[in-house]
């Protein structure tokens, strides 16, 4: 025991000597970092006025979300209660699978509306209490007043994009599955006469595909080289292997392959054949709102894959991809419009400008829908269609900013 205690003592003594020798260097290093990296500290740029407005903005934003979404839930329950009862939906599934994913989906969808309401509401209150007048009279310019608003808009924009691109699509899958089982009882689970390019010069065709069974009927696979047919495979059935460790694994039944080499032809056939074909069930069946179930990286990969295959059914996916980015920038535009409209003190209060704000917000959401429809049905470039509302409202924001009090 004495030997162990001596060893512990010597070890502690050596550590104390090392600490004493290097501690002054550590203190000097942290002091240097504190002096030279002080510009990274946000407190250096945010004053009391900034924190005051940011807290008001963010607090009102989440308050408006809670208020409006609560009302939406009440109306949704009233509308769907009969269906939930008819299809015997469990209470846990209603709360967890449906409404826990219903709330973030619609909150994120109408985020521009909530931003506008928040800015109009609390800025009009500040103006009504003469706080905006006091700030401008103290020498704070309107441009300087916009700083905390833009910081708040940036935080909301980042949150909106992250939720819409990575989090909400996963919850949308759960919500849509719930709606299929307990609400709508309608989902596209089959496809007829599907033809797609699964590789360079490789064309697949399925006469009928059943997504519930992951099985296709009347299958053929043609391979071309220099625009000449070199291989033709047919199968009465083709089954996707859902338990395979690798993707694109299919099992063909009653298959037959014709190999063509010049004037010679070789025919092989069999009952069952394991094969790799570069297609998945998601490539064969398209359901309404399917693009909303993909995260942004999955959307990008899916669009790239479908374009390589020559598929024409990618416009709605491209619009969804660009719309997620464009919607996140709407926070800056609508914040500028809301601040410019509500920063002036008026006798009538904020009622008129709250109405204008709501009208502009709904106009923005309507433009998003209309532009998406034009992209799908009128050959408008998807990227342009997604950004049209932002382009139009940027002009409105600039006009309002020029008319704002300074």
């Amino acid at each position: 025991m004495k030997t162990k205690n001596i060893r512990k003592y010597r070890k502690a003594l050596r550590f104390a000597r090392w600490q004493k020798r290097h501690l002054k260097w550590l203190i000097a290093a942290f002091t240097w970092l504190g002096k030279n990296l002080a510009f990274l500290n946000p407190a250096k740029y945010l004053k009391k006025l900034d924190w005051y407005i940011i807290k008001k903005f963010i607090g009102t934003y989440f308050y408006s979300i809670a208020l409006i979404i609560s009302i939406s839930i009440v109306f949704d329950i009233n509308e769907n209660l009969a269906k939930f009862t008819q299809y015997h939906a469990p209470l846990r599934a209603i709360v967890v699978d449906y409404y826990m994913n219903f709330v973030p989906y619609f909150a994120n969808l109408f985020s521009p509306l909530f931003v506008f309401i928040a800015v109009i509401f609390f800025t009009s209150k500040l103006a009504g209490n003469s706080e905006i007048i006091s700030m401008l009279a103290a020498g704070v310019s309107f441009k300087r007043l916009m700083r905390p608003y833009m910081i708040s808009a940036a935080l909301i924009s980042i949150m909106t994009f992250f939720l819409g691109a990575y989090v909400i699509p996963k919850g949308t899958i759960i919500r849509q599955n719930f709606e299929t089982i307990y609400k709508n009882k309608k989902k596209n689970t089959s496809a007829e006469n599907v033809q797609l390019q699964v590789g360079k010069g490789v064309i697949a065709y399925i006469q009928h595909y059943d997504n519930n069974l992951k099985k296709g009927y009347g299958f053929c696979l043609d391979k071309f080289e220099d625009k000449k047919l070199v291989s033709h495979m047919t199968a009465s059935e083709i089954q996707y292997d859902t338990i395979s460790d690798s993707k694109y694994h299919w099992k063909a039944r009653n298959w037959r392959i014709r190999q063509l080499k010049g004037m010679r032809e070789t025919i092989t056939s069999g009952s069952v054949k394991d094969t790799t074909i570069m297609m998945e069930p998601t490539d064969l069946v398209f359901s309404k709102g399917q693009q909303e179930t993909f995260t942004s990286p999955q959307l990008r990969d899916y669009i790239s894959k479908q374009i390589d295959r020559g598929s024409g059914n990618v416009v709605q996916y491209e619009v969804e991809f660009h719309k997620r980015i464009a919607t996140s920038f709407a926070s800056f535009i609508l914040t500028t419009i809301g601040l410019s409209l509500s920063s002036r003190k008026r006798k009538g209060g904020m009622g008129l400008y709250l109405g204008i704000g709501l009208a502009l917000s709904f106009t923005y959401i309507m433009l998003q829908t209309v532009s998406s429809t034009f992209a799908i049905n009128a050959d408008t470039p998807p990227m342009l269609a997604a950004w049209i509302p932002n382009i139009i409202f940027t002009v409105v924001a600039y006009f309002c900013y020029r008319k704002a009090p300074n």
Side-chain angles (χ1 to χ4, degrees):
M1 289 294 293
K2 290 183 179 180
T3 306
K4 288 185 178 180
N5 291 334
I6 291 171
R7 286 177 182 173
K8 288 182 180 179
Y9 174 75
R10 286 177 178 175
K11 190 176 181 179
L13 186 63
R14 283 196 300 270
F15 179 74
R17 288 172 179 171
W18 178 89
Q19 193 178 34
K20 183 178 179 181
R21 189 164 58 248
H22 293 86
L23 187 60
K24 60 180 180 179
W25 297 105
L26 289 172
I27 293 173
F30 280 114
T31 303
W32 182 86
L33 288 172
K35 290 180 179 179
N36 291 275
L37 299 180
F39 68 92
L40 295 176
N41 185 8
K44 182 179 179 181
Y45 305 99
L46 299 179
K47 308 302 180 185
K48 286 185 178 180
L49 174 64
D50 299 315
W51 286 116
Y52 176 69
I53 292 177
I54 289 172
K55 290 177 182 177
K56 288 278 188 180
F57 193 156
I58 300 297
T60 309
Y61 172 77
F62 284 108
Y63 176 77
S64 62
I65 287 178
L67 184 62
I68 296 176
I69 292 297
S70 299
I71 297 171
S72 302
I73 290 174
V74 171
F75 280 102
D76 190 79
I77 291 174
N78 184 59
E79 182 181 352
N80 295 308
L81 187 60
K83 291 182 179 180
F84 293 159
T85 305
Q86 178 184 354
Y87 296 118
H88 307 289
L91 179 61
R92 184 182 180 279
I94 294 173
V95 175
V96 177
D97 295 345
Y98 185 66
Y99 283 109
M100 289 293 286
N101 295 302
F102 172 94
V103 170
Y105 174 80
F106 283 98
N108 202 64
L109 179 65
F110 296 111
S111 181
L113 173 65
F114 298 135
V115 168
F116 214 120
I117 290 174
V119 173
I120 290 282
F121 186 82
F122 89 88
T123 306
S124 296
K125 194 173 182 181
L126 292 179
N129 295 334
S130 301
E131 293 181 65
I132 299 292
I133 295 174
S134 302
M135 296 173 193
L136 298 175
V140 177
S141 65
F142 188 77
K143 186 177 180 181
R144 169 65 181 85
L145 182 63
M146 287 186 68
R147 182 199 291 178
Y149 283 88
M150 291 297 105
I151 292 172
S152 303
L155 295 174
I156 293 172
S157 177
I158 293 169
M159 180 190 69
T160 301
F161 176 75
F162 179 77
L163 289 175
Y166 297 98
V167 179
I168 292 176
K170 298 177 182 178
T172 302
I173 297 174
I174 300 172
R175 181 175 58 83
Q176 288 185 356
N177 290 336
F178 174 90
E179 291 176 346
T180 302
I181 298 172
Y182 300 112
K183 186 178 175 183
N184 299 326
K185 289 288 184 179
K186 293 179 181 179
K187 189 176 183 181
N188 188 19
T189 59
S190 63
E192 304 289 338
N193 300 319
V194 180
Q195 182 174 342
L196 69 159
Q197 182 174 318
V198 296
K200 188 176 181 180
V202 182
I203 307 297
Y205 171 81
I206 300 177
Q207 186 176 4
H208 174 78
Y209 177 77
D210 188 336
N211 196 47
N212 291 328
L213 301 174
K214 300 292 187 290
K215 182 183 289 187
Y217 304 90
F219 173 78
C220 70
L221 187 71
D222 294 331
K223 185 177 181 181
F224 296 86
E225 290 182 1
D226 297 328
K227 298 182 180 180
K228 292 182 179 180
L229 182 66
V230 296
S231 175
H232 176 71
M233 174 185 176
T234 59
S236 60
E237 294 180 5
I238 186 168
Q239 176 76 52
Y240 185 71
D241 192 348
T242 57
I243 61 174
S244 176
D245 294 333
S246 59
K247 295 195 299 183
Y248 314 122
H249 187 213
W250 294 82
K251 184 174 289 186
R253 300 183 185 277
N254 301 322
W255 58 274
R256 186 168 179 259
I257 299 177
R258 296 172 58 200
Q259 297 285 349
L260 304 173
K261 293 183 180 179
M263 299 299 293
R264 301 183 63 182
E265 179 180 359
T266 305
I267 299 177
T268 56
S269 61
S271 57
V272 180
K273 180 181 178 65
D274 290 329
T275 183
T276 300
I277 305 172
M278 302 297 288
M279 65 180 184
E280 297 179 272
T282 53
D283 301 327
L284 304 174
V285 177
F286 302 96
S287 58
K288 184 179 179 181
Q290 183 176 331
Q291 68 274 13
E292 296 176 351
T293 64
F294 292 160
T295 63
S296 287
Q298 290 173 338
L299 262 179
R300 185 172 57 248
D301 295 340
Y302 181 84
I303 291 167
S304 177
K305 185 170 66 174
Q306 293 300 103
I307 289 175
D308 291 340
R309 289 174 172 174
S311 174
N313 191 28
V314 295
V315 176
Q316 56 190 352
Y317 296 88
E318 291 179 300
V319 171
E320 177 69 20
F321 179 78
H322 293 295
K323 188 171 74 172
R324 292 176 182 179
I325 302 172
T327 303
S328 62
F329 281 92
S331 299
F332 298 100
I333 300 169
L334 297 178
T335 297
T336 303
I337 297 174
L339 174 60
S340 302
L341 285 176
S342 58
S343 58
R344 193 185 298 274
K345 185 175 182 179
R346 295 173 176 87
K347 289 184 179 180
M350 68 176 180
L352 174 63
Y353 293 93
L354 183 59
I356 294 174
L358 288 172
L360 287 172
S361 298
F362 282 117
T363 303
Y364 178 86
I365 295 169
M366 184 188 70
L367 274 176
Q368 278 188 323
T369 305
V370 171
S371 60
S372 300
T373 304
F374 277 137
I376 296 171
N377 299 322
D379 295 330
T380 305
M383 186 174 181
L384 177 62
W387 283 90
I388 281 176
N390 282 5
I391 294 170
I392 295 174
F393 273 75
T394 298
V395 177
V396 177
Y398 178 75
F399 175 79
C400 293
Y401 174 77
R402 297 293 297 177
K403 296 293 183 179
N406 288 285

